[in-house]
């Protein structure tokens, strides 16, 4: 029997690379399940044979270490500083005295990144924002260090704030007694199938039912079996209790019936185990 390819795993973001720092500084999932993307080398590589060891080996490469060093020295990459255990640890970012100058710069960049997401600006709209702010706030030292090109902006949103909000949402979801999983398959440019996942659940803090975006998975040509497997793997990777799924939501009751049957069977089996 042929060996099954290893899929990229989001848990690798928290693992330490050869420099003893979390890989989230430079690691992203590649275009397919079996590849990863190195932000500092700007390179897509395979991890389907070795899995985590492919990632670690890449982090040891001389070229990669040099790229990483260059970027840290030029201070163009501010890694997210949220660790998995710090979800309850809150820093009061309005208290000026406890922040260093660099942290104030990061805070300004984060505020702008959040505004970009909230107001629906494009990443490219930040291309010359530093020049504009420099003219507007000419007496500010922070604005002189402020740098937010589109690529960095997208990085901050996906691995900095996005990572943080996703974690908060998952913690919230785990407190709910049950939830509905909503999924939607779309064909994007180049016939790559995109599977969007949403959850609907009772939010304890808001005291109401909320619908939240969970994540997008990119699939090639995907059969029902592959879609089903991906959903299960993703939920398990985030330690979401599958037996709490109350309902499946989708855009049309006549599509994806096979997936519904598979999920139903799987959840019944899981419940019997309890
Ligand atoms: Zn690299």
């Amino acid at each position: 029997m042929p060996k099954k390819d290893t899929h990229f795993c989001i848990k690798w973001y928290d693992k330490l690379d050869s420099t003893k720092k979390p890989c989230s500084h430079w690691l992203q999932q590649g275009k397919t399940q079996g590849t990863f993307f190195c932000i500092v080398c700007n390179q897509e590589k395979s991890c389907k044979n070795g899995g985590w060891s492919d990632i670690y080996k890449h982090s040891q490469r001389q070229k990669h270490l040099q790229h990483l060093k260059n970027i840290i020295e030029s201070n163009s990459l501010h890694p997210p500083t949220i660790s998995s255990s710090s979800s309850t640890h809150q820093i009061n970012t309005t208290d000026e005295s406890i922040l260093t100058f660099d942290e104030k710069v990061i805070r300004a960049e984060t505020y702008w990144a959040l505004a970009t997401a909230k107001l629906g600006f494009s990443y490219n709209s930040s291309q010359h924002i530093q020049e504009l702010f420099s003219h507007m706030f000419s007496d500010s030292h922070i604005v002189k260090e402020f740098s937010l090109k589109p690529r960095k902006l997208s990085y901050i949103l996906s691995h900095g704030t996005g990572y943080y909000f996703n974690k908060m949402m998952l913690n919230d979801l785990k407190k709910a007694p049950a939830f509905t999983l909503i999924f939607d398959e779309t064909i994007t440019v180049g016939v790559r199938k995109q599977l969007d996942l949403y959850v609907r659940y009772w939010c304890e803090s808001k005291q109401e039912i909320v619908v939240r975006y969970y994540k997008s998975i990119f699939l090639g040509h995907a059969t029902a079996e592959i879609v089903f497997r991906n959903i299960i793997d993703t939920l398990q990777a985030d330690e979401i209790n599958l037996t709490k799924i109350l309902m499946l939501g989708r855009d049309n009751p006549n599509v994806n019936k096979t997936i519904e049957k598979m999920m139903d069977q799987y959840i019944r089996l899981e419940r019997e185990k309890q």
Side-chain angles (χ1 to χ4, degrees):
M1 217 175 101
K3 200 170 152 273
K4 234 183 117 191
D5 288 349
T6 309
H7 284 181
F8 183 90
C9 174
I10 51 164
K11 283 186 178 169
W12 294 342
Y13 291 140
D14 292 331
K15 285 194 153 202
L16 303 183
D17 65 11
S18 63
T19 65
K20 303 269 178 282
K21 299 253 167 61
C23 292
S24 55
H25 290 195
W26 52 269
L27 184 66
Q28 275 187 346
Q29 178 165 3
K31 291 198 177 87
T32 66
Q33 296 274 335
T35 58
F36 69 94
F37 184 78
C38 174
I39 298 169
V40 295
C41 300
N42 196 17
Q43 231 179 13
E44 176 137 346
K45 304 198 109 188
S46 164
C47 59
K48 66 175 184 186
N49 294 320
W52 164 246
S53 80
D54 284 339
I55 312 274
Y56 192 80
K57 269 183 214 149
H58 178 79
S59 82
Q60 288 175 306
R61 290 189 58 207
Q62 209 52 47
K63 267 191 180 167
H64 170 83
L65 292 169
Q66 190 56 45
H67 285 144
L68 198 63
K69 198 167 155 247
N70 293 347
I71 282 182
I72 289 169
E73 276 169 7
S74 71
N75 201 22
S76 62
L77 189 81
H78 297 300
T81 49
I82 302 149
S83 80
S84 51
S85 58
S86 69
S87 53
T88 53
H89 178 65
Q90 295 285 334
I91 296 168
N92 182 3
T93 51
T94 51
D95 185 352
E96 294 291 318
S97 60
I98 61 158
L99 296 178
T100 64
F101 178 73
D102 282 351
E103 283 168 343
K104 285 177 189 168
V105 175
I106 295 173
R107 182 180 60 178
E109 289 168 353
T110 309
Y111 282 164
W112 183 250
L114 290 171
T116 302
K118 180 85 183 164
L119 301 169
F121 294 160
S122 72
Y123 289 149
N124 276 337
S125 60
S126 289
Q127 187 73 39
H128 303 293
I129 207 76
Q130 200 272 339
E131 285 97 318
L132 175 66
F133 285 169
S134 298
H135 286 102
M136 287 163 70
F137 313 110
S138 53
D139 61 345
S140 164
H141 293 293
I142 293 174
V143 80
K144 290 192 182 81
E145 293 303 315
F146 183 95
S147 114
L148 211 51
K149 296 288 180 200
R151 197 181 179 86
K152 183 174 163 189
L153 179 58
S154 118
Y155 169 73
I156 289 179
L157 285 177
S158 57
H159 290 313
T161 57
Y163 180 76
Y164 173 74
F165 286 122
N166 200 258
K167 246 193 159 69
M168 266 176 50
M169 190 279 285
L170 287 175
N171 284 338
D172 208 26
L173 174 65
K174 284 170 193 169
K175 288 180 205 152
F179 69 95
T180 295
L181 182 73
I182 303 162
F183 66 100
D184 187 20
E185 283 177 285
T186 41
I187 307 287
T188 50
V189 187
V191 208
R192 263 175 73 196
K193 218 178 219 183
Q194 179 178 334
L195 177 68
D196 291 334
L197 299 175
Y198 299 82
V199 282
R200 185 189 291 139
Y201 63 94
W202 174 258
C203 174
E204 201 53 51
S205 55
K206 285 191 183 260
Q207 288 289 303
E208 63 183 16
I209 289 172
V210 294
V211 180
R212 292 283 176 266
Y213 168 78
Y214 170 35
K215 69 168 65 166
S216 296
I217 304 170
F218 296 97
L219 308 161
H221 172 72
T223 59
E225 169 75 29
I226 294 173
V227 174
F228 161 73
R229 210 52 261 175
N230 268 284
I231 294 176
I232 298 290
D233 288 350
T234 303
L235 293 173
Q236 278 176 339
D238 284 326
E239 292 165 350
I240 298 170
N241 185 352
L242 293 162
T243 60
K244 282 188 182 176
I245 297 181
L246 201 63
M247 243 176 81
L248 281 180
R250 50 190 201 261
D251 50 359
N252 183 333
N254 292 318
V255 295
N256 294 320
K257 279 187 171 167
T258 323
I259 298 174
E260 187 183 274
K261 268 184 212 144
M262 285 171 160
M263 291 286 278
D264 187 55
Q265 227 169 29
Y266 187 87
I267 293 165
R268 276 174 203 277
L269 280 173
E270 285 293 305
R271 284 194 178 149
E272 276 167 23
K273 280 188 209 162
Q274 285 182 339

